[in-house]
């Protein structure tokens, strides 16, 4: 059949009519009506097939009010079409019309079937049916218009088609009707996104309620809960990516190569890339439809110039509307492209966070030492985050070349072969680009490495902030942070410098290309290599195309930079994911107990265990080369930094051979069911290692370990999670009131629960901060007891509690009469008075079991064990007989107090008065509401310097003026063309001068912004945050989770360093561009200015409407990340406990829940950006339409050169305005980081580090300490913990401090160091900080309003050698007192740095101190001696050894006053004796205050200070007190077995 007989129309197939500016009827019937129908038929049939075969009904019922009307209207449409076909068949049969009618009948018939399945299985309207409605209605409307223009309205087929159109429209209304209130959607519990129909998702209208709500009132996290699609949630995303990763690892292992995480992530989302690429390519194509239409429009305007035939006005109007629709469609496709790509980004981030978290639970001991908590945190907070930012740009590697090809082809049609000279310029720049990219990668990796180091140190400082303060080491740590920060800034400088030169390549590239192309075209680009024809149409269409080339080329630098960032970040995560895992085979764990009771429950045969692998990793020559190069670089950097700081040049580090020897050898141990086995031995002999070997945390070199039954473990340093007391004990198990009460009683926690503000619902702060050391240990014991396991491993839990409690725990929990009496228990202990009741005693010496057996057997053997008992047990033998003599332990046991700094005792006492109002300790993170205040801009501008800020703005305006200058000059050139005023050379030289001036100013302004101003701002903001952080009072750290502070130093500082300057540059470029555009369009078509005010008002309305929600969402996003990092830090600290209690899955689920909340917050924030984009670009399309219509209206008066100038700017303005509003909103969002950093930088600090009070020389000289009516509390608003106490300690007097839990023992030492201030003193009030940002009033810790606190009398004072210490600078005071703290804290670094952080002492002095601390032998046996690297938290030393290092620190401080806070709790009795001897000898001329659990430790003091409820109960010589059986001290000593019972 020929086309003529198929169409049966005088206009033929077309596609456009020759007689009118319109499409032909044949074209409309075939392409507009038939094609969508055929696609629909295929798609519908496939959907019906899959839904009937694999689909599952939702069983939520059917919405009949929508289902039946929709089926009715589809059926009615089909009937109308059948009527039309019948009419056509009878009269006026046209094959083209019949084809479209029949294809529509079939499409809608299949749609009925699909509609049936959709209502059964889907909860929203059907996307394919919705799409068919839209296409059919638009095509039908066009067809109806054509038929009416061709006078066919009286034909019966036309009337039938109108009926079809009406039914179709009614069906569309029903299909599009919102279904939010239908029972199906209400019951489904699906997210807003999953309920939204096609139009709502395309226009992001489903976000409208959130944005409206956010405009009216600040949004909270609960307002946006559950928005994220299911596939992005951790459960799905982790499984998907992890499966791909495991396959890649296995594949690479088979080939002997390393897998690439980057390519694994890219391929894991293979199917999702298809729609993303489709949207991107369509959007790119539509972008270039605009200049093609512009070309037509300019020839339309040109037809009205002299001597041409004018074209019909309708053509101009159609072209203007064509540009409008092309612009609008482009915006819809771009938004879908961004949204889909960002979904993949969020999915990848969520999956990576889950993979990193799960990996951290499985790290082997050697791998743990390589990856510090700070580094792993960075992998989550910085590296995984890069995927979010970069994933939208990857498809551009395909779309940019595609766009460039289209642009070059269109340009070729305008200026011929001259365009290839421009292309040559681009190609010439590419190698330069490659070299710059290489430098950039290096600088970027350097920046991240330095950032890792900085975050690691910050993590350490914040974890050990109390120690840093007690020693007065703030300055030393600040310098350590500064070293890494300076490296980071120098990398940033490099990045900024590289960028300012890259700006030549990208921002100036289109101008250079157009300069080269026009120069060639104007001179030799015409026919026969003559001058080309310079017409307005050619120039302005070309300028428009060059401007469009600007976008992809300009983006190239950004894309390459981001891709580099992602590959660097991925390789860092990859290295971590490939690190060694702990082997599950180390311990053979059989979860059920054997039926034969005689089989040992724990059985170790010929065990050899180590913390390190057998030997160093084997290096290939290539790896060795890389390592040596790296070491050389690091050394050079250290030397450079030392010269700069004026310090001595550090010696080249000699690589020391690690000790790869085993920790435990020749271990043979069988523990019978139900036995209590005690493990004893000196410090550092391997007691804790033995428990770790049983758990399976060590490398098993040979032998076998078998454990029957479920295991529970209590670590030596109690691990507490930030949850309520009850949650800490239940630890994920079901609540059973009877068992719970029994456990509380046995753990001796009942009195504590009564004391706590909200009983067992009191929230325990991070690291158990509001519990004393003893309470933490008891909670840890209660958790293990509640677990109801079969095997219990106790790592010296009794050392943290004192005599009363020790006795209670032994009797009611651990011992032969306790709650766990039928369980198998392994107890590491230094408490020799319990050994008589153990079923088996294991003595460990030098990593081997030296003796094992029952108490009597070992005593009879008269070996080392016998010696130990004989020397150190006062009531040896007698003690055993009175096992239950002291059974009734009083409830108000006295427990060694305080560990980590907050209202230890205080918190407990407040309790009695107020129940429940102080249950929450950690306030929710506070969120500022509303838009970013101008003050935040001024904080940043001030940090960058106002002078520079003004200069930058002026420079950007100059750049824009020069850019407009080039186009105005071209316009002048086109109008002068033909008039022989100037030669081509003159035109070109002016043009070139303008381009070069633009180039220079562009590079200058980028350099000033990126390198000078931005780095100055970064430096000042980080410096102020760090300085303030180190000077904040202890109460701040007690109520603020560590993760929240680290978030400020990682994510927020990263934003300020790298993202904020970018956003400022974008705002300035787009702002200047928009301003320039309005000026140009306004001067050429003044009528256009009439629509500027309404447009500006609309833009401002959308922007203010949007920005309130967007900012709140960005803040919610920032806040939602802190819990992930906090939970993660907590997990790392307790990983052994989690593994032993097999709680991995629960912690993984908690991490997933927190990651999902963060993913949800980010998803909603990103989606609102698309909401904004669609609305702004729709306005932009209106600007194009208006400019186009104004050009058509002024066609006679406006020359084509002015029209060209106006239209080329109008086309760019839509993008520019959208980018301006987007960049401004992004900038606002990035400034949240400045606001958050500034919030912490403006907290109230503690008292000044230095004061101008004149002190006597060498103060304190004597060591006379006086407390005068002294009272204190932990924070404003809490009750007093020390009440009006007065006593005097004479110079060189030794005072032992004892008392029960909550008596105020540790508070006394904290007061001496002014960690807490005297109640109601000036500094107690001045250093008080209110709630943190982002507080949720329901959860905030009620920090009382200061005016409401009952002002008791003055809190008194402490005097040392006649000076009131509240007048002394904190740094001077703390550095002139010495303390051995209860928590022996070591920092990552060398042993030398741990002893002498300021590098003031000679090595000989350090060795001498170590010798006196009985550690010299151990340290000298380590690789590198004093240069031995201490791992995180000092994990490569036992707790006892850490205590001894702290003792050495105290010995190095030649101070007159020494405080020992439970200093020897973690060491065995022999070492304790040695330490006491050292103290007596070395510190005989010093004043010593000792808090101790072991009454034995303070028996030889000059005086004993007994505290009770914050008051002094007794203060006399121990001998005097022991003569009075009614004294409190007597009862404590008696219980500890330190009184020889002569009457027995």
């Amino acid at each position: 059949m020929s086309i003529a007989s198929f169409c049966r129309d005088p206009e033929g197939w077309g596609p456009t009519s020759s007689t009118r500016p319109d499409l032909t009827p044949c074209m409309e019937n075939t392409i507009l009506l038939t094609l969508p129908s055929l696609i629909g038929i295929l798609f519908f049939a496939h959907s019906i097939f899959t839904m009937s075969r694999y689909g599952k009904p939702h069983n939520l019922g059917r919405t009949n009010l929508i289902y039946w009307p929709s089926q009715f209207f589809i059926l009615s449409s089909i009937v109308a079409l059948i009527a039309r076909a019948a009419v056509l068949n009878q009269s006026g049969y046209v094959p083209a019309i019949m084809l479209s009618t029949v294809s529509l009948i079939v499409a809608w018939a299949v749609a009925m079937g699909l509609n049936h399945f959709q209502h059964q299985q889907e909860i929203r309207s059907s996307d394919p049916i919705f799409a068919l409605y839209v296409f059919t209605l638009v095509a039908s409307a066009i067809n109806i218009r054509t038929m009416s223009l061709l006078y066919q309205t009286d034909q019966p087929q036309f009337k039938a088609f109108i009926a079809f159109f009406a039914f179709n429209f009614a069906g569309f209304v029903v299909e599009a009707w919102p279904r939010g209130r239908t029972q199906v959607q209400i019951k489904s519990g699906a997210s807003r996104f999953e309920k939204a129909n096609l139009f709502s998702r395309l226009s992001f209208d489903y976000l409208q309620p959130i944005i409206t709500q956010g405009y009216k009132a600040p949004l909270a996290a609960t307002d946006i809960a559950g928005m994220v699609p299911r596939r992005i949630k951790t459960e799905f995303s982790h499984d998907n990516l992890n499966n791909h990763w495991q396959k890649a690892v296995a594949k690479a292992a088979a080939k002997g190569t390393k897998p690439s995480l980057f390519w694994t992530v890219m391929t894991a989302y293979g199917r999702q890339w298809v729609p993303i690429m489709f949207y991107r390519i369509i959007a790119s194509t539509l972008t270039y439809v605009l200049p093609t239409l512009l070309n037509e429009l300019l020839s339309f305007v040109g037809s009205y110039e002299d001597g041409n035939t004018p074209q019909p006005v309708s053509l101009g109007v159609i072209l203007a509307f064509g540009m409008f629709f092309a612009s609008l469609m482009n915006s819809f496709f771009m938004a879908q492209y961004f949204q889909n790509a960002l979904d993949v980004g969020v999915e990848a981030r969520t999956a990576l966070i889950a993979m990193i978290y799960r990996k951290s639970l499985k790290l082997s001991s050697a791998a743990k030492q390589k990856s510090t908590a700070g580094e792993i945190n960075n992998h989550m907070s910085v590296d995984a985050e890069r995927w979010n930012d970069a994933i939208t740009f990857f498809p551009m590697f395909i779309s940019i070349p595609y766009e460039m090809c289209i642009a070059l082809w269109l340009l070729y049609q305008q200026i011929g072969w001259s365009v290839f000279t421009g292309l040559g310029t681009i190609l010439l720049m590419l190698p330069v680009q490659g070299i710059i990219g290489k430098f950039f990668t290096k600088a970027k990796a350097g920046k991240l490495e330095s950032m890792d180091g900085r975050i690691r140190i910050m993590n350490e400082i914040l974890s050990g902030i109390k120690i840093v303060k007690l020693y007065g080491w703030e300055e030393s740590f600040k310098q350590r942070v500064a070293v890494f920060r300076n490296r980071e800034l120098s990398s940033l400088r490099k990045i900024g410098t590289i960028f300012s030169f890259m700006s030549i390549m990208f921002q100036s590239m289109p101008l250079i290309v157009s300069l080269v192309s026009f120069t060639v075209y104007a001179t030799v680009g015409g026919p026969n290599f003559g001058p080309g024809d310079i017409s307005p149409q050619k120039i302005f269409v070309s300028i428009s195309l060059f401007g469009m080339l600007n976008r992809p080329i300009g983006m190239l630098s950004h894309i390459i930079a981001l891709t580099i960032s992602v590959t660097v970040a991925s390789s860092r995560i990859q290295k971590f994911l490939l690190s060694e895992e702990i082997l599950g085979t180390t311990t053979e764990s059989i979860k059920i107990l054997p039926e034969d009771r005689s089989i040992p429950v724990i059985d170790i045969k010929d065990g050899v265990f180590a913390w390190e692998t057998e030997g160093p990793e084997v290096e290939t020559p290539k790896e060795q080369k890389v390592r040596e190069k790296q070491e050389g670089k690091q050394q050079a950097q250290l030397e450079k930094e030392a010269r700069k700081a004026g310090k001595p040049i550090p010696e080249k580090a000699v690589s020391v051979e690690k000790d790869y020897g085993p920790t435990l050898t020749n271990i043979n141990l069988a523990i019978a069911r139900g036995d209590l086995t005690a493990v004893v031995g000196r410090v550092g002999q391997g007691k804790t290692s033995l428990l770790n070997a049983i758990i399976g945390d060590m490398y098993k070199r040979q032998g076998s370990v078998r454990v029957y039954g479920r295991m529970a473990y209590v670590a030596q340093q109690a691990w507490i999670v930030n949850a309520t007391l009850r949650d800490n004990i239940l630890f994920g198990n079901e609540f059973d009131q009877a068992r719970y009460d029994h456990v509380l009683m046995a753990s001796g926690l009942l009195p504590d629960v009564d004391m706590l503000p909200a009983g067992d619902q009191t929230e325990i702060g991070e690291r158990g901060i509001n519990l004393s050391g003893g309470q933490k240990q008891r909670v840890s014991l209660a958790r293990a007891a509640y677990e109801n396991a079969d095997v219990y491993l106790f790592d010296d839990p009794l050392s943290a509690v004192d005599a009363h409690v020790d006795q209670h725990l032994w009797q009611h929990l651990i011992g032969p009469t306790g709650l766990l009496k039928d369980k198998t228990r392994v107890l590491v202990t230094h408490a020799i008075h319990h050994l008589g009741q153990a079923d088996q005693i294991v003595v460990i010496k030098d990593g081997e079991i030296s003796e094992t057996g029952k108490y009597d057997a070992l005593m009879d053997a008269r070996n080392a064990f016998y010696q130990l008992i004989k020397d150190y047990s006062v009531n040896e033998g007698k003690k055993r007989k009175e096992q239950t003599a002291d059974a009734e332990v009083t409830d108000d046991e006295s427990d060694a107090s305080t560990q980590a700094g907050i209202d230890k005792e205080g918190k407990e006492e407040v309790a009695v008065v107020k129940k429940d109002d102080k249950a929450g300790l950690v306030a929710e993170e506070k969120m500022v509401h509303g838009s970013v205040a101008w003050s935040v801009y001024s904080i940043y501008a001030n940090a960058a310097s106002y002078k520079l800020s003004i200069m930058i703005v002026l420079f950007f305006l100059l750049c824009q003026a020069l850019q407009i200058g080039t186009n105005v000059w071209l316009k002048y050139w086109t109008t002068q063309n033909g008039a022989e005023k100037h030669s081509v050379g003159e035109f070109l030289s002016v043009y070139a001068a303008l381009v070069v001036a633009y180039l220079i100013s562009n590079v200058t302004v980028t350099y000033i912004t990126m390198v000078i101003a931005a780095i100055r701002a970064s430096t000042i903001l980080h410096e102020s945050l760090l300085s303030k952080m180190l000077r904040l009072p202890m109460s701040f750290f007690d109520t603020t989770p560590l993760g929240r502070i680290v978030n400020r130093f990682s994510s927020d500082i990263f934003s300020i360093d790298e993202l904020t300057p970018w956003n400022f540059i974008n705002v300035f470029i787009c702002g200047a561009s928009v301003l320039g555009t309005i000026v140009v369009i306004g001067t050429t078509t003044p009528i256009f200015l009439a629509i500027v005010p309404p447009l500006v008002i609309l833009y401002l309305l959308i922007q203010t409407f949007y920005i309130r929600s967007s900012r709140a969402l960005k803040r919610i996003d920032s806040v939602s990340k802190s819990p992930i990092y906090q939970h993660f830090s907590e997990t790392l600290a307790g990983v052994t406990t989690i593994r032993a209690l097999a709680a991995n899955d629960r912690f993984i689920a908690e991490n997933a829940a927190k990651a999902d909340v963060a993913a949800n917050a980010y998803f909603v924030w990103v989606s609102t950006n698309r909401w904004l984009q669609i609305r702004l670009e729709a306005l932009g399309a209106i600007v194009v339409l208006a400019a186009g219509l104004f050009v058509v209206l002024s066609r006679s008066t406006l020359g084509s050169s002015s029209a060209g100038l106006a239209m080329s700017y109008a086309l760019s303005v839509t993008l520019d305005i959208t980018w301006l509003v987007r960049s401004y909103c992004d900038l606002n969002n990035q400034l949240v980081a400045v606001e958050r950093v500034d919030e912490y930088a403006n907290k109230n600090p503690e008292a000044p580090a230095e004061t101008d009070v004149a002190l006597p020389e060498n103060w304190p000289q004597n060591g006379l300490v006086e407390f005068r009516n002294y009272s204190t509390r932990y924070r404003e608003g809490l009750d007093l913990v020390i009440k009006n106490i007065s006593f005097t300690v004479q110079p060189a007097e030794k005072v032992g401090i004892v008392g029960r839990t909550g008596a105020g023992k540790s508070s006394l030492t904290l007061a001496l160091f002014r960690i807490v201030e005297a109640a109601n003193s000036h500094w107690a009030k001045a250093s008080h900080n209110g709630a943190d940002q982002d507080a949720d009033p329901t959860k905030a810790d009620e920090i009382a309003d200061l005016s409401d606190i009952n002002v008791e009398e003055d809190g008194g004072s402490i005097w040392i050698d006649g000076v009131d210490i509240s007048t002394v600078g904190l740094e001077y005071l703390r550095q002139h007192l010495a303390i051995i703290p209860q928590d022996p804290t070591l920092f990552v670094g060398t042993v030398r740095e741990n002893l002498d952080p300021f590098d003031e002492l000679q090595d000989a002095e350090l060795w001498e101190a170590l010798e006196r601390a009985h550690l010299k032998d151990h340290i000298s046996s380590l690789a590198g001696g004093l240069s031995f690297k201490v791992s995180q938290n000092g994990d490569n030393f036992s707790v006892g050894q850490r205590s001894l290092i702290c003792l050495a620190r105290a010995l190095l401080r030649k101070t007159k006053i020494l405080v020992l806070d439970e200093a020897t709790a973690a060491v065995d009795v022999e070492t304790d004796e040695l330490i006491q001897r050292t103290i007596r000898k070395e510190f005989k001329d010093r004043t010593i205050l000792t808090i101790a659990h072991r009454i034995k430790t303070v028996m030889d003091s000059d005086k004993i200070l007994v505290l009770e409820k914050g008051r002094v109960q007794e203060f006399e010589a121990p001998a005097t007190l022991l003569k009075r059986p009614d004294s409190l001290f007597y009862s404590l000593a008696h219980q500890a077995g330190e009184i020889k019972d002569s009457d027995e």
Side-chain angles (χ1 to χ4, degrees), residues 227-246:
M227 289 285 292
V228 68
R230 285 193 184 96
R231 115 164 164 258
I232 293 177
K233 289 188 175 166
T234 305
E235 180 188 3
F236 181 91
S237 61
H238 168 264
D239 292 353
N240 175 26
L241 183 57
N242 194 44
N243 293 342
H244 279 84
W245 174 240
Q246 295 308 335

Side-chain angles (χ1 to χ4, degrees), residues 792-809:
Y792 282 86
L793 306 178
F794 296 117
D795 194 355
D796 198 16
L798 298 176
S799 66
V801 301
D802 56 87
H804 278 71
V805 188
D806 176 320
Q807 199 69 26
H808 177 96
L809 290 172

Side-chain angles (χ1 to χ4, degrees), residues 997-1012:
Y998 176 76
L999 263 182
I1000 294 167
S1001 52
N1002 203 349
V1003 173
T1004 313
V1005 73
T1006 314
Y1007 184 82
I1008 294 172
T1009 313
M1010 294 290 282
V1011 182
I1012 304 174

Side-chain angles (χ1 to χ4, degrees), residues 918-932:
K918 294 206 182 74
L921 166 80
V922 176
E924 287 250 337
E925 206 168 339
K926 203 174 96 200
M927 225 159 65
V928 183
H929 294 303
S931 80
V932 162

